[in-house]
Structures are given as structure tokens and as C-alpha cells.
Amino acid sequence: MYDDNSRRALASALHELIRDATPGTRLPSVRELQRRYQVSPLTVQHVVRELAAKGLVTVRPGNGTFVATAPSRRPPADLAWQHAALGGHVPQDTARHLALLEVPHADTVRMSGGYLDETLVPDKALIASMTRAMRRAGVWGRTPVEGLASMRQWFAHQIGAYNPAEVLITSGGQSALSIAIRALTRPGDAVILETPTYPGYTSVARGHGLEIHPVPTDRHGLRTDLLEDVIRARVARLIVVQPLYANPTGSVLADDRRRELLDLARRHGVFLLEDDYARDLTIDGPPPPTLASADEDGHVVYVRSITKPVAPAIRLAALAARGPAFARLRAAKILDDFYVSGPIQEAAVDFLSSPAWQRHRRAVAREIGRRRDGLVGALRSRLPGVEITHIPSGGMHLWVRLPDGYDDTEVAARALGAGVMVSPGSAWFTAERDSPYLRLTYGETPLPQLVEGVRRLASVM
Ligand SMILES: Cc1ncc(COP(=O)(O)O)c(C=O)c1O
């Protein structure tokens, strides 16, 4: 906090100095800035780098830092023609995603999002793995389009249901899901989505011109009893499903429903896209096996990402399938980005094959379990009117029902005003919602702040 404040103070002082100075003026030395603003040399370096990136200063090593020549001002462009050219149809509806990726003000308690916070990133082990990866021969060259052999092998071994030749490496889970939804359908096709579910599927399906058919979930996962009629009536070829710690509800698909789902897929010739996004965020284990492990004839297309349990910056996932579907996925992936950065894959394999990974998984399970229980306790004592629909045995979210009459969007907006960021539940529904909900994320925030977040939430309800 102190560092943030002093960095902001130095940045605003230098902005003022630059605004009033003539181009070419030399800025005070690092030592002088340190002394004047009582900051560390690292803070000075950081701020100067930011100013250089904005083109406001030029750094001449050995000479100093100088106010840059002001860029010639362009007259304001008339971009109105683009509205006419693009038309009113906005196929990519990403507003819900952007809300999730938003970084709130430093004083705001974050109970929204979907990645572990910095305190849970295994930074030392990752730095060591990255350093070793950078030194490997050939690391700067091209990598195979399907992914590094060692990375495919690691995922295949973890998943257990595919051999490495059936695994593609993608830049994170969202990329894998987007490739799979687009490659397995044609515009105009029907796709079945759970409701509520992760908005990442809905946006891709809409963008690809698919007709979305919602099927409700409850605390045991997808309502398979409602599925067959929808498959028949809509001639759907694809069902997107989260069998484990579903986002947002935390539900785990019940055993009898798993069997029924696979049986329906077999009888109707349907693909099941299994998003196994939270297997490595199990708190009370062990988790049930994947749907893929019970699939005999290539109905399951499987996605497993490591961005959530490892670090948001290590954007890697596996997309696995058998038969002609694999060839379609591979072709779609090549059109997107050719191949995934080699150094990132090398570093990830190095880390995931080391004892540090197992230690990290255990530490994450302990800590997010503590946060989950602490958040449940705080909600029960401060907000007894809010119903905790289910205590998940993994993942990083609690799905809570607000008392009737509340508007989730309004509650989330008022909560933000009081300094806590929560997600309004409506964003997760693919159809009309039955009640108002909030999704409260415990993975991104240490427990004392979560408790404070609940206090702030209670103050606006
Ligand atoms: C259910 C689910 N699947 C997939 C993703 C995509 O995550 P990533 O692209 O970081 O792997 C998310 C992200 O929040 C998610 O919640």
C-alpha cells in the first residue's frame, strides 16, 4: 500500500515536471528523486519505465533521462464512417468477460474474477523453471503446432483417457473452448448450454451464430432428465458441460447423471465438451474421474487449463479429442495462432514435473479451503438472509441466493460503491433467472479481506 502511494506521488510529480519543461530537459538523477520523494531505486526505475513507455521521456543509458520531444498533434479523426460500415449487429458480446477481467481500485476488496491472487502464485519455483527453460537449446525456434511433445505427454498422463497424439496445447482454456465450439458446429446449429454457466461459452456460441438452448442445473449438476427432449427437438450436436465444481454453482455432476449424459450422447450422436477447469483446485478430495475417462467412442472433447492453479500469466491448456474431431480441432487451432509460445511450454513442463507442483497444489487446497470456510462463516454471521446454495468441495466461488425482491445488479453496483467487488448472478444465466444471485469469489483474496468484504456487502444490503 505504502509503495503504491509513493509510486503514485512520484509519477504525478514527474508528470507535472514534464508538462512544464521544454523537450530535452534532463530529469533529476535517480538518487535525487529517491531523496526528494523518499522512494526506493526500484520505484524510481518503475515510474521512469512507465513514462518512457508513454513516450514522455527518453532514457539515455549513462547520460540520464530527458523530457521527450512532444509528438506532433494529429487532428481529431472522423471515425463515424465505421459505425455505418460495421452495422448494428455486434456478434462478440464480451461485456461480461470484461467485467470479470477488470482490475478494481487498490482499496476495493475483490470478490469477483477467476484467478488465484499473487500470494498463491508459486513465483520462486516458476522463476527457476523459466530460467532453466530459457537456457534450453532451440527454445527460441518454432514449436510444433500441436504443442511440445513433453507438454502433450504431461497432460495425457494427467487426464488418463487420451494418448499424447490426441492432445493439442492451446493458449489457455478460453482459447481451447472457443476452438472446440467453432470447430464442432456450423453457424445456425443448435448448442446446449447449462444454465447458469460460464459466460465464456455463451459469447463464443453467439459470435459463431449458434442457436443456444439452455438446460437447467441444480446442486447435482446438469438436469439430464430435461436433456433428451431438447436434443431431439433442436437437433443439437454439442453440449457444453462442467461436471466438476461448475462455475458459478460449484456443483459436481452426480454419478447417475454422468452415466445418463454419456448414454444420451451415444444414442443421439452428440459431442460433449467437458470443461474440467477446476480439477487442480480440489479442496476436499479426491475428485470424481473425468467424463472423458468413461467415454468409449470419442463423444467427449476435453479441456483442462493450468492458468487457474498455476498462474494467470502461464496461459496453457489441453484440448483433447479422438478421431476426425481431433483433425477439425487441429485445423481450427492452426488458423487461430499457429502454435503456442515455446518458452512458456518449456517452463510449464519443468514446473509441473517438479516436486514444487505437488507442494503448490497442497498449499493452494489448504489456503482456498480456509478462505471458503471463512467466507461461509462470515456470511452466516453477517448476512443470514443470504442463502448459500451449496458449499463446493473445490473451485473458487460461492453461489449465493439473495432474498426475494433484491436486484443482483443493483446490489453489485452498490457494493462496489462501498468498496467490495462482487459478480451479479444474472450474467451467468443463459435463460431467464429464477431468483437473484451473487457469485462470491474466494480464490482471489486473502481471508481477512474477504471478511471485510462481507462487512461492506452487509452495509449496503
Ligand atoms: C469455467 C471456466 N472455463 C474456462 C475458463 C477460461 O480460463 P483460462 O482461459 O484462463 O484457462 C474460465 C475462466 O474464468 C472458467 O471460469
Side-chain angles (χ1 to χ4, degrees), residues 61-315:
N63 263 333
T65 302
F66 299 85
V67 176
T69 317
S72 56
R73 292 212 175 276
R74 281 194 300 184
D78 177 6
L79 303 174
W81 69 271
Q82 292 194 358
H83 291 297
L86 292 169
H89 171 62
V90 182
Q92 278 84 15
D93 162 23
T94 52
R96 294 161 184 185
H97 271 81
L98 291 177
L100 288 177
L101 296 171
E102 210 173 290
V103 178
H105 187 271
D107 299 332
T108 301
V109 175
R110 179 161 195 153
M111 291 169 73
S112 160
Y115 295 102
L116 298 179
D117 59 299
E118 276 172 20
T119 64
L120 285 177
V121 169
D123 48 357
K124 288 195 182 65
L126 285 177
I127 290 168
S129 291
M130 193 60 102
T131 311
R132 283 192 289 272
M134 294 298 186
R135 293 206 186 104
R136 227 152 268 161
V139 74
W140 301 112
R142 267 181 283 178
T143 41
V145 293
E146 299 85 358
L148 280 188
S150 51
M151 189 81 255
R152 298 171 82 195
Q153 178 90 49
W154 185 86
F155 273 117
H157 179 70
Q158 289 295 308
I159 306 165
Y162 301 91
N163 67 51
E166 293 163 336
V167 174
L168 281 174
I169 304 302
T170 65
S171 309
Q174 182 63 33
S175 167
L177 293 162
S178 171
I179 289 169
I181 293 173
R182 288 179 290 126
L184 301 173
T185 60
R186 283 180 299 247
D189 278 356
V191 60
I192 295 178
L193 300 183
E194 297 170 296
T195 187
T197 196
Y198 169 55
Y201 318 132
T202 326
S203 304
V204 174
R206 289 221 173 95
H208 193 48
L210 302 181
E211 223 181 88
I212 295 172
H213 294 286
V215 172
T217 63
D218 60 20
R219 61 191 303 271
H220 302 294
L222 183 62
R223 289 276 308 270
T224 43
D225 56 319
L226 303 175
L227 203 51
E228 184 150 21
D229 285 347
V230 182
I231 299 177
R232 269 190 214 283
R234 312 295 176 191
V235 203
R237 297 202 302 154
L238 177 66
I239 304 174
V240 185
V241 59
Q242 294 181 64
L244 192 66
Y245 320 137
N247 173 7
T249 59
S251 67
V252 175
L253 188 64
D255 277 353
D256 53 338
R257 296 191 187 181
R258 289 164 58 89
R259 281 192 294 275
E260 207 176 332
L261 184 57
L262 284 162
D263 183 50
L264 279 167
R266 235 174 269 131
R267 282 193 283 115
H268 293 278
V270 174
F271 283 106
L272 300 175
L273 179 53
E274 177 177 14
D275 183 6
D276 201 16
Y277 84 106
R279 184 159 294 268
D280 295 310
L281 297 173
T282 293
I283 299 171
D284 310 317
T290 59
L291 270 186
S293 63
D295 166 42
E296 287 162 13
D297 304 314
H299 286 280
V300 176
V301 172
Y302 177 87
V303 174
R304 168 102 159 255
S305 169
I306 58 161
T307 63
K308 290 178 191 288
V310 177
I314 304 280
R315 296 208 51 77

